[in-house]
């Protein structure tokens, strides 16, 4: 029991913290832990060490490591009077929680505005690049000019590849950071979507000499939301895996239907790859991989109400996510003109998979 707070007030605060579903703890005025719903962290956390760096007379946030992942710990003093603190409330917020808050604030509007402006400028660069290429092609039509300007077209093409990468990454971030998937008139057939994409990946990864093991359910399962953002989350996750796995190592992709607490069950997707040891991977690559994985987690948990779990060992990396599904399609059927992945050059699949293939061939070129 806290020294300065009544038993009734303490129980009311505990019930409130429990109802929020967050990772929380309650400390008394002597900074002794009196309640928590997340003992894995708070049983080993000493609030007094934070006090040594701050007076904690108002809400304070500090960076902490939660199961190896950096998170934000919010510490709020509960005042009995203006000058008397009777308790401290601690809440851990991970990247997903912060994304959720930002998604509902003006920050998302600012971010989308900035990224959309950047996208427009990159489109202008792409147009200028094409004009330069056409002008150079006219010059190289002359044999003398062709010899003098040897290699110019290749430089222009390399510039085009860089511009295309910048454009695609900006577009993907816009579509997955702060863009909520709209309710669809057409139900997205997840079985068809992932079975098709798995098949595409199996074929395209032959180019980088990676074997892809795939499996998917035979029955169809649906979501009423646009499947495009979910597919982007899957590609973010695939990119995160490929970045830290050995060149030419195999990839396992699987999907299945599982029965859980929801009435209709869930559609579960798993990615498993071998893992390069951290001491053999540069910090920038590790950070990029983690960032893409966290972005995928945000989309699946927040945008689709799904579950997300990562299991890493010294030798392998496995991520599993699931989203609630329906067993029947209650909207217009999807067809080749409205499927979100597409198989054309402008489709989500083709533009993103090209970036993954480029990353593999360019960033791991030294391994040959």
């Amino acid at each position: 029991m806290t020294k300065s707070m009544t038993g009734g007030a303490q129980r009311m605060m505990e019930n409130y913290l429990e109802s929020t579903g967050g990772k929380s703890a309650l400390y008394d005025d002597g900074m002794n832990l009196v309640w928590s719903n997340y003992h894995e962290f708070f049983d080993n956390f000493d609030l007094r060490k934070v006090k040594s760096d701050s007076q904690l007379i108002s809400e304070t946030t500090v960076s902490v490591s939660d199961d190896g992942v950096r998170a934000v710990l919010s510490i709020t003093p509960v005042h009995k009077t203006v000058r008397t603190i009777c308790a401290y409330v601690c809440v851990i917020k991970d990247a997903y929680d912060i994304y959720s808050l930002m998604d509902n604030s003006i920050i998302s509007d600012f971010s989308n505005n900035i990224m959309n402006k950047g996208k427009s400028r990159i489109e202008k660069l792409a147009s200028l690049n094409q004009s330069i290429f056409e002008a150079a092609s006219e010059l190289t039509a002359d044999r003398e000019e062709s010899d003098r300007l040897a290699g110019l077209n290749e430089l222009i093409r390399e510039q085009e590849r860089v511009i295309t990468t910048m454009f695609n990454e900006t577009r993907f971030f816009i579509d997955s950071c702060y863009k909520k998937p709209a309710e669809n008139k057409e139900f997205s057939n997840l079985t068809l979507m992932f079975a098709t994409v798995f098949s595409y990946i199996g074929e395209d990864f032959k180019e980088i000499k990676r074997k892809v093991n795939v499996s998917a359910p035979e029955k169809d399962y649906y979501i009423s939301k646009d499947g495009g953002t979910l597919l982007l989350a899957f590609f973010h996750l695939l990119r995160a895996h490929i970045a830290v796995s050995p060149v030419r190592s195999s990839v396992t992709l699987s999907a299945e239907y599982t029965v859980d607490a929801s009435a209709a069950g869930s559609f579960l997707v798993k990615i498993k790859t071998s893992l390069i040891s951290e001491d053999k991977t540069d910090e920038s690559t590790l950070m990029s991989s983690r960032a893409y994985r966290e972005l995928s987690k945000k989309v699946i948990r927040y945008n689709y109400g799904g579950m997300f779990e990562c299991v890493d060992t010294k030798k392998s990396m496995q991520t599993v996510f699931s989203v609630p599904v329906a067993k029947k399609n209650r909207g217009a059927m999807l067809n080749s003109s409205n499927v979100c992945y597409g198989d054309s050059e402008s489709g989500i699949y083709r533009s993103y998979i090209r970036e993954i293939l480029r990353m593999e061939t360019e960033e791991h070129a030294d391994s040959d």
Side-chain angles (χ1 to χ4, degrees), residues 177-188:
C177 278
Y178 302 114
K179 180 181 177 182
K180 296 181 181 179
E183 295 294 329
N184 241 8
K185 292 182 179 179
E186 299 87 14
F187 271 38
S188 295

Side-chain angles (χ1 to χ4, degrees), residues 248 250 280 289:
R248 300 190 180 98
S250 63
K280 294 183 180 179
S289 177

Side-chain angles (χ1 to χ4, degrees), residues 175-176 179-181 188-191 193-194 197 221-238 267-269 271 295-301 303-308 321-325 340 348:
D175 288 345
S176 52
K179 180 181 177 182
K180 296 181 181 179
S188 295
N189 184 330
L190 294 190
T191 302
M193 182 173 79
F194 280 100
V197 168
Y221 299 98
Y222 307 86
I223 55 172
S224 59
K225 294 181 178 181
D226 174 26
T229 309
L230 181 62
L231 190 59
L232 272 178
F234 167 77
F235 284 132
H236 289 328
L237 192 54
L238 180 63
F267 193 88
L268 183 147
V269 177
I271 301 178
L295 182 55
S296 175
K297 179 179 178 180
K298 174 265 176 182
V299 170
I300 291 161
R301 288 184 58 181
N303 297 65
Y304 289 89
M307 300 297 293
F308 192 100
F321 69 84
S322 63
V323 294
V325 290
C340 62
I348 292 175

Side-chain angles (χ1 to χ4, degrees), residues 81-135:
T81 66
V82 175
R83 294 183 175 83
T84 304
I85 295 174
C86 63
Y88 297 89
V89 171
C90 296
V91 179
I92 293 177
K93 292 182 173 67
D94 60 17
Y96 156 72
D97 298 316
I98 296 169
Y99 262 123
S100 299
L101 293 172
M102 292 172 64
D103 221 2
N104 290 287
S105 73
I106 199 169
I107 293 175
S108 62
D109 297 329
F110 288 156
S111 299
N112 280 334
N113 181 50
I114 291 171
M115 287 192 288
N116 277 310
K117 284 183 178 179
K119 180 182 174 184
S120 296
R121 289 166 182 153
I122 294 172
E123 287 178 318
K124 179 64 175 177
L125 284 175
S127 177
L128 291 171
N129 175 266
Q130 181 60 30
S131 297
I132 294 171
F133 176 76
E134 292 172 357

Side-chain angles (χ1 to χ4, degrees), residues 202-273:
E203 285 299 314
D204 285 334
F205 271 34
K206 290 179 181 178
E207 180 180 327
I208 54 176
K209 296 180 173 61
R210 281 187 182 264
K211 180 182 179 181
V212 182
N213 305 304
V214 303
S215 63
E218 295 182 358
K219 293 184 178 181
D220 293 331
Y221 299 98
Y222 307 86
I223 55 172
S224 59
K225 294 181 178 181
D226 174 26
T229 309
L230 181 62
L231 190 59
L232 272 178
F234 167 77
F235 284 132
H236 289 328
L237 192 54
L238 180 63
R239 183 171 186 165
H241 274 258
I242 295 300
V244 292
S245 65
V247 177
R248 300 190 180 98
S249 59
S250 63
V251 180
T252 298
L253 305 174
S254 64
E256 62 181 274
Y257 171 77
T258 62
V259 178
D260 53 26
S262 63
S266 296
F267 193 88
L268 183 147
V269 177
K270 180 188 299 182
I271 301 178
K272 185 174 183 180
T273 54

